[in-house]
Amino acid sequence: MDKKQANFEQAIENIKKMLTTMNYGSITLIVQDNTIVQIEKNEKIRLK
């Protein structure tokens, strides 16, 4: 497995973990030179 593929697999695993703990919000991927370099999680808390 090359470095880009390993990076992609790691990013997917991190995104899956983030999605399990999030009710509202967004996940943003920062890509540079065809490689995911950063994942940002912006979570919203709804007050009812």
Side-chain angles (χ1 to χ4, degrees):
M1 184 180 316
D2 66 348
K3 189 175 180 180
K4 284 187 180 183
Q5 183 66 26
N7 174 278
F8 179 77
E9 295 294 330
Q10 182 181 13
I12 294 298
E13 289 303 314
N14 284 320
I15 293 167
K16 285 179 183 178
K17 288 178 188 175
M18 288 178 178
L19 286 172
T20 61
T21 62
M22 212 170 135
N23 289 323
Y24 300 97
S26 62
I27 296 174
T28 305
L29 303 178
I30 309 301
V31 178
Q32 183 178 22
D33 297 328
N34 290 335
T35 303
I36 299 170
V37 294
Q38 185 172 324
I39 303 172
E40 297 176 357
K41 177 181 172 184
N42 187 5
E43 188 169 5
K44 306 289 184 187
I45 298 173
R46 305 282 183 185
L47 303 176
K48 296 181 181 184

